[in-house]
Amino acid sequence: MTIRSNKLYDDSGVSRRQALKIGARGIALGLVGRGISALPPLFGATSEAVAATPGKILVVFEWFGGYDGLSTFVPYGDDALYRQRPNIGVREADVIKVDDHFGFQKSMLGMHRLWDEGNVAVIHGAGYDQPSFSHFTSSSYWHTGAPNSGEEYGWYGRTADALDPHGTPNYLVNISATQTLAVRAREHVPVVFDDPSSFTRAVFHPERSLIDNLDRGQIARNDTHQFMLDVNRSARDASALVSQAWESYNGSRNPDLRLLDLDKVVALIENDFPARLYYVRLQGSLFDTHVNQESPHNRQVQYCSDAVWGFFEEMKRIGKQDQVAIFVHSEFGRRVPENTSLGTDHGTANVAFVLGGGVKGGQYSTPVSLTDLVLGDNLQHTVDFRNVYATLIEEFLGHKKSEAILGDKFKTLGMFA
Amino acid sequence: MATLNSRLAAVVIISVALARIGPDVAASNEDWSPGPTSWTGDLQPITEAEWNYDRAAHLLERAGFSGTPKEIQKLADMTPEQAVRSLVYYDDIDNDHLSPFEHSGLWDETLLNFPPSRPAATDMALKQGKGMGVRLKPDHVNRYAQPASDRFFYWLRATRLETRRVGYWWAERMLDTYRPLEEKMALFWHGHFATAESKVRDYRKMIKQIETFERHATGNFGNLAIAIAQDPAMLYYLDAGVNVKGAANENFAREVMELFTMGVGNYSEKDVREAARAFTGWNFKNLDFVVDSALHDDEPKDFLGQTGNFDGRDVLNIILEQPVTAEYIATKIFRFFVRDDVSPQLASELGTLLLDNGYELRPLLATMFLSRDFYSVATYGAHIKGPVEHVITLLKHLGAEDVPGIPDFNAMTVALGQHLLNPPSVAGWAQGQSWITPALIQERGNVAFDFLFPNVTQFQEPTLLYGSAGEAGQRLRRGYDILSATALDDPGIVSMFDLAARERDELFNTRISSFRGYELAMRKLIPTLRRAAQIDLTQMILDSGSVTTSEAVDYLLGRFVRVPVSVNTRDVLVTLLDEELGTTDINRAATFMEEPLRMVTHLIMSTPEYQLN
């Protein structure tokens, strides 16, 4: 991989970031049939949004599939764990202890290293009332931040819209093959990709100047067509930047350290990509462990743990470890008792993690009870997950009116200094 | 300042208004004929007077994978009812020219009851001294369990490699079939009753499932639902085998109700558990459905308000009795073929149509394709083709007679976000707008490029083995011992995963197995013919009677794109063709116009409009 300069300059020597700032307004003024609502404050400035704390970047790292929190941040000090799980309960000997009650499953060396540095906040018992046991439904509740309700846009998309009402291009990035509901926004077209190299055009020289402008003069025939035109425009804005960032990133630094898809985030941050919000959804998750849980679960948490540690090593290298935070969660945890296939079924509340970004490491919220169970044999949640969202929005991103995004005021957890 | 703002406002308002009016600033496809807005939601049939070539083209693109102008004209020459009937009621149409799948001979009976994981495989083999048809070496030998580990990886790799060929075989059927709706519905059912070979691990079960989808494609949904509930791929995928009396596993029952029939909110958690009990003992032996009565819970169950000694069939019949099932299925079919936005009233009408016909699908399909709604402005040109649909349609547009080997079909569709026979989850693919993101819209242009300008000189066979397994294999061939062959390049960086691997070396080495298993599968695998698509755009243009570059571009636009492109785009394409040919005279340029025509086609297929139909 060739190593190019970190900066992205065009021929005139104007940095791309500056050009983008001019371009953003220019694009918003462009008459591509988007309608009045997308135009900038010429028609009445929307200044209710407080600007985000400059420089902060949030990465949501969704460990989709329902990871088993009781085998991740293990309550080894609670006998009830072993009564409920005589076969698959993680043994004390297989735990890296953090205190005399809890510890990380021993494969999670990376996560534990971050914990020792004071860079891991563990939030116990994150969930919501009337939990759903369906992957898709519960995911959609976490993604929209609207449990047991319908909501068109994602919580992360709404956050982007609140922080940046102009819909600046490239503000919101989703590393995934297809768009995650969480990033669905009114004003932003999220940059969605899982393979940065697919962001380059295969094209012959005579076509070059034409291929990105095939929408010029076009008017939308229907809503789907309008959608296509919007996405086409966003592709034009993002592709060159993403490709160049990826090409100049030296991923061979840590060949065996699987960063999963976090390496794409590193590449973009390192190259001053303008995004403030990243959403990475774990691909090919092994976490839905209904059968023979031990091996796939341990392998997956090990990969994920290595990935976040490697990510922060990279952040340290570029001096951004306090500016960038990772938020880890899943759509639910798993049922307390083991099932007859040495696995576990879908559950309710789960631990979530916030890593880096100047977080005050430690444990938050109240640990769940393994004996006072609900809905048969499930954990009672001790904090609504939207409190975690509110904490990230207000304490980390610096946007004080989280209730406008979440629909209600949720108490923040005091995770940041 | 205020004046500037208000002038700007005026311009914006006017252009937004123009956007709503219609095609006066548009270009290609003057026959573009969406029906009026009043037609939206109206299931009444269109009349013969309302039928034309453009609407026939719309029909063939949606109910099939498009076709040649001749095929479209044939439909246009019929009445709309005859045209729809010819696509929906296809039983009398012979499809014998399609070949059965040619097996590479990778499977044998010793692979029955294949263990679910590598640890399960090696544990079993260590206990019994053999497994999966191989014996272990005498136990005084180092890595004496290697034969079992190798055998496990052999089948893992073999079924995955063969499944790619199954994907090719199915794509070929989609392209060559005389019954396009049959294949399109089979594709729809595959996304609905979703299983993935990556978990099923048996390409033979995937073939059987495709055949089931084709057999019941436009038949009776009830029969299809029962056939799939008893299908080996589905039974394995949803852990039916561990669903036994006294220990019901909810996975199968839940997905049957949540995803395959009723949708969430139409049953309780108790219904899921009771249904799970009804399905206990349902399993498969090789490729056949079996019920293990010893493991079946035949006590009474309470399900959806009824009580009885229900088994799986009974549960499915009760589910089918619920009107919500008919509505769920009919609406999903409508969304796939017509448009995404369905009002509650329309959903109810569609459900009633399906229910009143006893779940026979053809009356629903025929009504849909003949309806005013299907030709209304809300539907016309408002469908985003999924990747497989898109690629097959693209090949049909280009007049390709076979699915080419270069580029690789699976590589193209995976790049666009759809891995045939490997949906991301039991919920299938999200469909609609989720197929499109900024990167994916660009990728569609790249895929068109790869078909038009196949990289025949640098094509890399996807079966080439990279990574640590490939590296290990190369080192073995150069005479390295096993530990050196599997060692990492930079000993300074060790992952826990590899540390653990070294600890297991005394019994077997999985990195070696990963290579050896792959190698053995590749020795047998029938290779995919790596030939480019045999396309001839020159002949297409000459046959069209176009004599100028303008006429040629207009012809290509008319043939490929449903939604009209802008005047600007059309002019830009004509200019490009003029420049590349050095003349506007088609006959003058006939002997050297193939590459320039392909460039124009590539640009056409990169427009936002081309992605819609």
Side-chain angles (χ1 to χ4, degrees):
Chain A
M1 223 180 298
T2 49
I3 300 170
R4 304 234 192 99
S5 140
N6 278 354
K7 292 291 173 200
L8 303 172
Y9 288 99
D10 63 7
D11 287 336
S12 68
V14 175
S15 96
R16 285 231 184 241
R17 210 162 10 141
Q18 289 170 306
L20 262 177
K21 282 206 182 110
I22 304 162
R25 247 175 276 134
I27 284 161
L29 280 171
L31 304 175
V32 288
R34 185 122 200 253
I36 293 177
S37 64
L39 290 170
L42 277 174
F43 298 90
T46 49
S47 56
E48 52 196 59
V50 177
T53 310
K56 297 288 185 185
I57 295 174
L58 181 59
V59 180
V60 179
F61 188 19
E62 186 191 349
W63 294 1
F64 171 71
Y67 62 86
D68 182 31
L70 296 177
S71 300
T72 307
F73 197 64
V74 183
Y76 72 88
D78 191 341
D79 278 340
L81 177 66
Y82 304 105
R83 287 199 300 278
Q84 298 276 22
R85 295 180 173 193
N87 288 299
I88 66 167
V90 178
R91 303 283 145 209
E92 187 174 337
D94 291 330
V95 164
I96 316 172
K97 298 179 186 175
V98 303
D99 60 26
D100 55 21
H101 198 90
F102 288 102
F104 288 101
Q105 202 278 335
K106 72 176 182 191
S107 310
M108 300 175 71
L109 285 176
M111 193 86 116
H112 181 256
R113 252 176 239 154
L114 288 172
W115 168 270
D116 274 346
E117 292 171 1
N119 276 322
V120 179
V122 180
I123 303 114
H124 287 287
Y128 57 97
D129 283 333
Q130 293 167 270
S132 169
F133 295 96
S134 149
H135 286 294
F136 319 105
T137 306
S138 201
S139 293
S140 72
Y141 291 163
W142 279 77
H143 287 167
T144 54
N148 294 298
S149 173
E151 166 56 59
E152 210 185 327
Y153 299 104
W155 80 276
Y156 217 43
R158 298 200 302 278
T159 301
D161 288 344
L163 296 178
D164 172 59
H166 304 332
T168 309
N170 305 321
Y171 192 83
L172 176 55
V173 174
N174 185 197
I175 311 290
S176 171
T178 55
Q179 184 169 305
T180 313
L181 176 57
V183 303
R184 187 147 191 267
R186 195 194 303 268
E187 301 308 330
H188 291 84
V189 177
V191 180
V192 184
F193 66 93
D194 63 344
D195 178 2
S197 61
S198 70
F199 238 149
T200 36
R201 289 266 193 206
V203 72
F204 287 119
H205 191 260
E207 306 170 270
R208 244 211 150 93
S209 59
L210 309 173
I211 197 159
D212 279 319
N213 298 303
L214 296 169
D215 56 348
R216 198 173 314 146
Q218 184 56 284
I219 40 175
R221 302 288 163 176
N222 52 56
D223 288 344
T224 313
H225 191 190
Q226 181 62 64
F227 167 75
M228 294 298 302
L229 293 170
D230 289 342
V231 177
N232 196 65
R233 191 179 66 236
S234 170
R236 191 171 37 230
D237 296 339
S239 59
L241 293 177
V242 169
S243 305
Q244 284 173 316
W246 186 245
E247 266 176 63
S248 55
Y249 171 64
N250 182 3
S252 63
R253 228 183 305 272
N254 289 306
D256 281 292
L257 200 63
R258 297 172 180 86
L259 294 194
L260 301 177
D261 282 325
L262 295 178
D263 52 358
K264 282 107 186 172
V265 180
V266 173
L268 294 180
I269 293 178
E270 185 175 24
N271 285 282
D272 294 322
F273 196 78
R276 286 276 152 264
L277 302 176
Y278 290 86
Y279 200 101
V280 182
R281 198 162 201 239
L282 188 67
Q283 311 259 32
S285 159
L286 296 174
F287 279 128
D288 191 25
T289 47
H290 287 276
V291 178
N292 283 319
Q293 169 163 311
E294 196 181 322
S295 175
H297 173 83
N298 293 349
R299 189 175 329 150
Q300 191 68 72
V301 285
Q302 183 226 308
Y303 290 168
C304 290
S305 174
D306 282 352
V308 298
W309 173 60
F311 177 84
F312 281 109
E313 289 291 284
E314 294 287 83
M315 289 299 107
K316 281 174 200 156
R317 180 176 58 80
I318 59 177
K320 292 209 162 146
Q321 72 274 26
D322 289 330
Q323 279 175 256
V324 185
I326 292 184
F327 168 43
V328 171
H329 75 85
S330 190
E331 69 271 28
F332 43 58
R334 300 194 82 79
R335 211 155 294 181
V336 179
E338 63 191 30
N339 65 24
T340 55
S341 316
L342 298 179
T344 49
D345 293 319
H346 302 172
T348 52
N350 205 2
V351 283
F353 303 98
V354 175
L355 316 163
V359 75
K360 295 188 306 197
Q363 300 180 46
Y364 294 83
S365 176
T366 315
V368 290
S369 162
L370 298 184
T371 46
D372 291 333
L373 302 179
V374 296
L375 298 165
D377 29 25
N378 282 291
L379 296 170
Q380 168 62 54
H381 73 277
T382 54
V383 67
D384 188 298
F385 69 86
R386 289 168 289 179
N387 291 88
V388 185
Y389 286 1
T391 307
L392 293 165
I393 291 166
E394 296 196 12
E395 293 181 12
F396 180 67
L397 295 170
H399 179 85
K400 294 307 169 195
K401 298 244 170 92
S402 66
E403 60 269 28
I405 297 170
L406 300 173
D408 206 347
K409 180 80 186 119
F410 289 91
K411 192 158 172 291
T412 61
L413 302 176
M415 292 191 324
F416 291 87
Chain B
M1 253 317 144
T3 334
L4 178 65
N5 282 3
S6 53
R7 245 188 275 144
L8 215 46
V11 176
V12 166
I13 288 164
I14 288 169
S15 76
V16 167
L18 274 178
R20 298 282 175 260
I21 285 175
D24 15 21
V25 281
S28 65
N29 195 0
E30 284 120 23
D31 303 319
W32 175 247
S33 47
T37 355
S38 59
W39 279 11
T40 307
D42 186 350
L43 292 178
Q44 291 302 300
I46 60 165
T47 65
E48 210 176 320
E50 292 158 340
W51 189 236
N52 61 24
Y53 180 92
D54 193 65
R55 289 183 180 170
H58 169 71
L59 173 65
L60 192 53
E61 283 253 343
R62 294 290 192 95
F65 298 97
S66 186
T68 61
K70 205 185 279 187
E71 287 166 338
I72 298 170
Q73 190 62 55
K74 190 160 164 227
L75 291 173
D77 290 339
M78 302 179 197
T79 67
E81 198 189 338
Q82 289 165 340
V84 168
R85 275 198 78 81
S86 74
L87 291 167
V88 174
Y89 293 85
Y90 51 68
D91 280 343
D92 291 336
I93 298 176
D94 234 316
N95 233 356
D96 294 338
H97 63 295
L98 297 178
S99 349
F101 180 73
E102 195 191 350
H103 296 253
S104 301
L106 293 162
W107 182 83
D108 68 68
E109 277 172 7
T110 63
L111 294 165
L112 277 172
N113 304 317
F114 195 71
S117 70
R118 202 277 307 143
T122 44
D123 285 350
M124 168 193 72
L126 284 164
K127 208 174 288 175
Q128 300 173 356
K130 61 184 161 106
M132 300 164 289
V134 300
R135 292 180 68 181
L136 301 190
K137 299 183 187 180
D139 61 15
H140 58 86
V141 170
N142 191 17
R143 285 180 214 98
Y144 73 92
Q146 194 71 32
S149 176
D150 287 354
R151 183 71 171 155
F152 179 82
F153 277 94
Y154 161 75
W155 178 242
L156 232 60
R157 306 294 180 238
T159 174
R160 182 160 305 178
L161 287 164
E162 192 78 325
T163 299
R164 288 188 204 162
R165 293 187 60 248
V166 175
Y168 248 101
W169 168 76
W170 193 8
E172 196 68 51
R173 291 177 77 84
M174 290 182 205
L175 188 63
D176 294 342
T177 182
Y178 296 152
R179 305 172 172 186
L181 184 60
E182 182 179 61
E183 292 304 333
K184 205 141 193 203
M185 280 298 282
L187 178 63
F188 168 76
W189 290 126
H190 169 48
H192 178 72
F193 292 111
T195 62
E197 186 276 334
S198 56
K199 177 169 177 182
V200 172
R201 278 185 188 160
D202 186 352
Y203 77 90
R204 306 168 312 140
K205 294 191 180 81
M206 305 311 287
I207 293 175
K208 181 170 183 180
Q209 211 175 50
I210 294 168
E211 288 166 350
T212 303
F213 292 143
E214 286 170 347
R215 187 163 51 249
H216 295 281
T218 56
N220 185 293
F221 175 73
N223 292 345
L224 174 59
I226 290 174
I228 289 301
Q230 298 179 344
D231 173 83
M234 186 59 76
L235 289 163
Y236 183 82
Y237 190 67
L238 293 179
D239 304 318
V242 296
N243 184 27
V244 297
K245 179 157 87 177
N249 180 299
E250 293 171 13
N251 205 10
F252 188 80
R254 179 185 304 283
E255 307 308 0
V256 164
M257 287 155 66
E258 180 180 332
L259 296 172
F260 299 162
T261 53
M262 293 189 282
V264 104
N266 292 300
Y267 52 85
S268 65
E269 282 303 304
K270 173 149 194 273
D271 288 323
V272 173
R273 285 197 289 274
E274 295 292 274
R277 289 177 54 215
F279 285 117
T280 48
W282 275 31
N283 211 335
F284 63 93
K285 218 183 187 102
N286 197 4
L287 295 176
D288 300 312
F289 170 68
V290 296
V291 180
D292 191 336
S293 33
L295 296 175
H296 174 67
D297 174 346
D298 60 3
E299 299 293 304
K301 294 110 188 152
D302 287 316
F303 181 68
L304 290 179
Q306 299 186 37
T307 306
N309 285 11
F310 301 137
D311 70 355
R313 279 190 85 109
D314 298 321
V315 158
L316 284 166
N317 282 325
I318 295 172
I319 289 172
L320 289 167
E321 285 168 17
Q322 315 301 315
V324 70
T325 302
E327 196 171 308
Y328 181 80
I329 296 298
T331 307
K332 193 165 178 186
I333 293 173
F334 187 87
R335 287 207 170 94
F336 186 79
F337 283 99
V338 187
R339 59 197 166 75
D340 288 329
D341 190 23
V342 184
S343 69
Q345 169 161 1
L346 183 56
S348 172
E349 268 182 77
L350 294 166
T352 306
L353 190 48
L354 188 60
L355 192 62
D356 287 352
N357 278 288
Y359 286 97
E360 290 295 326
L361 292 159
R362 283 172 200 190
L364 170 69
L365 292 166
T367 302
M368 243 172 43
F369 289 131
L370 202 47
S371 71
R372 287 173 152 190
D373 185 308
F374 186 67
Y375 300 94
S376 73
V377 64
T379 300
Y380 226 64
H383 173 73
I384 297 172
K385 286 170 278 180
V388 170
E389 216 186 316
H390 180 81
V391 168
I392 301 295
T393 306
L394 189 155
L395 290 171
K396 263 209 152 9
H397 284 161
L398 295 177
E401 285 181 355
D402 299 299
V403 179
I406 300 175
D408 182 79
F409 173 78
N410 290 305
M412 293 297 100
T413 51
V414 166
L416 294 183
Q418 184 174 35
H419 188 174
L420 193 59
L421 304 172
N422 275 286
S425 75
V426 63
W429 292 281
Q431 310 287 3
Q433 293 189 357
S434 67
W435 291 127
I436 300 294
T437 66
L440 290 174
I441 212 178
Q442 290 205 342
E443 197 58 25
R444 286 180 177 226
N446 292 346
V447 163
F449 186 92
D450 280 342
F451 280 112
L452 288 160
F453 303 103
N455 195 353
V456 290
T457 58
Q458 309 256 280
F459 178 74
Q460 289 223 305
E461 175 59 60
T463 54
L464 277 176
L465 189 61
Y466 297 104
S468 48
E471 182 57 34
Q474 293 310 302
R475 289 183 188 171
L476 287 174
R477 292 171 77 88
R478 295 203 295 268
Y480 284 58
D481 70 283
I482 285 185
L483 270 181
S484 311
T486 55
L488 304 167
D489 280 317
D490 184 348
I493 300 174
V494 180
S495 75
M496 274 209 52
F497 185 70
D498 291 296
L499 271 178
R502 286 185 185 189
E503 285 165 24
R504 289 199 299 269
D505 273 0
E506 46 194 354
L507 290 173
F508 52 84
N509 182 298
T510 51
R511 191 162 282 165
I512 293 295
S513 293
S514 182
F515 169 73
R516 283 231 177 92
Y518 194 85
E519 186 183 44
L520 284 173
M522 282 298 298
R523 280 187 190 167
K524 292 199 179 147
L525 191 77
I526 295 174
T528 299
L529 188 65
R530 297 297 176 192
R531 196 183 190 214
Q534 302 303 297
I535 314 163
D536 192 344
L537 296 180
T538 303
Q539 200 56 49
M540 198 191 279
I541 291 299
L542 292 174
D543 288 345
S544 75
S546 309
V547 293
T548 65
T549 47
S550 298
E551 287 171 356
V553 168
D554 284 338
Y555 179 78
L556 292 174
L557 285 169
R559 185 154 172 162
F560 298 153
V561 198
R562 295 283 314 133
V563 178
V565 303
S566 66
V567 178
N568 174 73
T569 300
R570 181 247 181 218
D571 289 347
V572 147
L573 294 173
V574 174
T575 307
L576 174 68
L577 192 55
D578 290 341
E579 281 167 4
E580 289 300 303
L581 299 184
T583 172
T584 60
D585 179 347
I586 288 296
N587 287 304
R588 173 67 180 82
T591 55
F592 50 79
M593 66 180 182
E594 184 65 23
E595 298 307 288
L597 286 174
R598 292 193 186 199
M599 244 193 278
V600 168
T601 303
H602 169 228
L603 288 171
I604 290 174
M605 292 181 169
S606 302
T607 59
E609 290 70 44
Y610 183 72
Q611 320 313 323
L612 304 166
N613 71 358

